[in-house]
Every structure is written in C-alpha cells, then in structure tokens.
Amino acid sequence: MIEGRSLGLVIPAHNEERGIPEVLERVPGSIDRILVVDNCSTDRTAEVARDLGADVIEEREKGYGSAYMTGLGAMDTDIVSTADADGTYPVDRIPDLATILIEDGLDFISARRAPGDQARNLDNMLRFGGNAVLTFFTVALFFRWIRDSQSGMWVFRRDVLSSLELTSRGMPFSEEIKIEAWRAPGVRCREVGVPFSYSTRVGSAKLRLWRDGVRNLLFLFAKRLRIPMRGA
Ligand SMILES: Nc1nc2c(ncn2[C@@H]2O[C@H](COP(=O)(O)OP(=O)(O)O)[C@@H](O)[C@H]2O)c(=O)[nH]1
Ligand SMILES: [Mg+2]
C-alpha cells in the first residue's frame, strides 16, 4: 500500500527462470501483489515465480504485448507498475514513483532509463542507438515530448487503461502505451529518471535487436497513418 492505495506489479516472462529471482527478491514490501505472466516458457519460470510468492497466469499467445494485455487485465490494484523479468529495472524504486504519481496528481509515469555503468560492447551501443532512433521518430510523428520511448517500466493508475487504445501484441506495445497515454485527453503523464543497466540482464535477451527494432519503427509509421499492422 502507498498512501492508502494498493500497488501491483505485472511482469511478462518468456523463459526467465534465472531473471525472475533477481526481480522478485528486490521487490519492496509495499507492493501488494505481484503477477507474473508466463508467456510460452519451456523452462521453470512459472514454478520459480510461484515459489517466490508471485501469482502466475499463463498467456499462450506469444508476444510482449499479448503478455501485457492479459497481465494488465488481470491486475486489480489501484496503482499498477511493470518491469521486465530480467533484472535490468530497479523495481525497488517503484514505491517512490507511486508516491510521485499520487502526490503530484499524475495518471501515468514512465521510468526514463539513465544509463549506469554500461559495458561498451557492440550490443549495448546498438541498443542505445536503436532506442534513440525510435524515440526520435516517436517524438517527430506524434509530437509528444518523450525521451525514452522503449522503457518497459511504468507506474500508473489502473483506471487510465480504459482510455488507451492498445493494439500491439508484440514489442511495439511499449512505445504504444506511452503514445496512447501521452495523447489521451485528461491523462497527466511524466517521465521520471531511474538508474538502469542492460549489463545486469540475467538470462538471454528475448528482444531480437534488428528484427524488433525495424518492426517497432514500422509500427510507429503504421500507427501514425492508422494502418493496422499485422504481426505487431
Ligand atoms: N521479446 C519478448 N519478450 C517477452 C515475450 N513474452 C514475454 N516477454 C518478456 O518481456 C520482457 C522484455 O524482453 P527483453 O528480452 O528483456 O527485451 P529488452 O529489455 O528490450 O532487451 C522480458 O521480461 C521477457 O521475458 C515475447 O514473446 N517476446
Ligand atoms: Mg529487458
């Protein structure tokens, strides 16, 4: 509970038996409910999550957005937060973000990732470059001042979901939820910086850099032009 409001955390997970403990062990006590969405895992993700006290639901349609649509729909707390199942996001900061949400009268916060001690390898540079390109086009196409369009950590009032038109079932879900929140009438949004490091990821990345990067970019144009994009 934060200031009398219940607080939940939704975590999409595809084969993250190693990442789940990294996340769940750092979840602060003020988070009332943790919901792991097991998305077609072939490892012990669900079992590990249950053993650590999380509720687990299954989503059989594979995809980051599919997992979130199911998980967000099943969450019942006043305030909802999200994070990857890989240990990269500082879940210990969620209560602070929820406090800002309540005290500043906001509806939606997206955590802006401030890079920490990042290893300078090609993979990380491509991620930063890709994120910069996608964020540039998000701002250019939708005229909303967002600086980290690909962040997967959000803290928001659950009732804003009904104002958002979410169509993506894949990785573009992350940019889409921000675009929708930022342009929904009456929904007050803010980005708040959090420490972040890709290098802390446990287990293999599920994102495929080039394929998902290009898809996320095409999705922005398709959404801007209101053309439904298959497989997004
Ligand atoms: N890419 C992807 N991630 C999924 C899927 N289902 C659940 N996830 C989870 O979504 C999160 C994001 O994936 P990740 O590889 O960390 O992407 P990145 O943080 O952008 O590098 C992880 O917790 C995954 O386990 C899926 O079908 N595809
Ligand atoms: Mg991740």
Side-chain angles (χ1 to χ4, degrees):
M1 296 287 274
I2 300 280
E3 302 193 13
R5 266 81 150 197
S6 55
L7 175 59
L9 171 61
V10 178
I11 303 172
H14 172 66
N15 289 342
E16 302 281 9
E17 64 181 8
R18 289 181 57 213
I20 284 287
E22 290 290 318
V23 183
L24 297 191
E25 278 155 15
R26 281 190 283 137
V27 169
S30 50
I31 294 186
D32 303 285
R33 185 176 179 211
I34 305 168
L35 184 57
V36 170
V37 187
D38 178 20
N39 193 207
C40 309
S41 297
T42 51
D43 67 359
R44 296 178 61 251
T45 293
E47 215 176 319
V48 169
R50 261 190 216 103
D51 286 349
L52 290 168
D55 291 343
V56 177
I57 52 170
E58 197 187 341
E59 169 51 52
R60 284 164 191 265
E61 187 191 322
K62 193 169 176 301
Y64 176 82
S66 304
Y68 264 125
M69 287 305 285
T70 300
L72 297 178
M75 189 39 98
D76 51 6
T77 50
D78 302 322
I79 299 175
V80 180
S81 61
T82 63
D84 284 5
D86 58 7
T88 50
Y89 287 89
V91 288
D92 51 306
R93 301 294 295 274
I94 289 171
D96 293 347
L97 299 182
T99 303
I100 296 173
L101 188 85
I102 296 165
E103 294 190 347
D104 290 0
L106 302 171
D107 299 296
F108 192 103
I109 288 178
S110 180
R112 181 170 51 81
R113 297 167 291 175
D117 51 342
Q118 210 66 243
R120 281 188 193 281
N121 56 39
L122 183 63
D123 203 60
N124 283 342
M125 295 211 270
L126 281 173
R127 279 168 185 276
F128 277 114
N131 189 15
V133 169
L134 291 168
T135 299
F136 170 81
F137 279 101
T138 304
V139 174
L141 291 170
F142 295 93
F143 306 114
R144 295 295 182 280
W145 185 235
I146 295 171
R147 284 183 292 168
D148 183 2
S149 67
Q150 304 299 309
S151 166
M153 186 161 133
W154 326 305
V155 179
F156 55 94
R157 291 176 202 269
R158 186 165 57 92
D159 53 21
V160 302
L161 281 175
S162 58
S163 317
L164 313 183
E165 212 175 295
L166 299 164
T167 61
S168 167
R169 297 296 177 261
M171 291 313 267
F173 186 86
S174 174
E175 58 200 21
E176 184 174 44
I177 197 168
K178 295 179 200 81
I179 293 165
E180 283 291 315
W182 255 259
R183 68 179 187 178
V187 174
R188 293 151 297 177
C189 303
R190 186 185 293 168
E191 281 187 312
V192 178
V194 296
F196 180 87
S197 172
Y198 285 124
S199 316
T200 55
R201 195 194 204 296
V202 180
S204 62
K206 307 303 173 294
L207 174 108
R208 286 189 266 167
L209 269 178
W210 290 103
R211 194 200 70 158
D212 287 322
V214 169
R215 246 191 229 190
N216 281 14
L217 184 60
L218 290 177
F219 179 84
L220 290 173
F221 283 93
K223 186 168 176 75
R224 185 72 187 92
L225 298 170
R226 298 176 200 278
I227 302 167
M229 183 170 148
R230 263 200 298 150

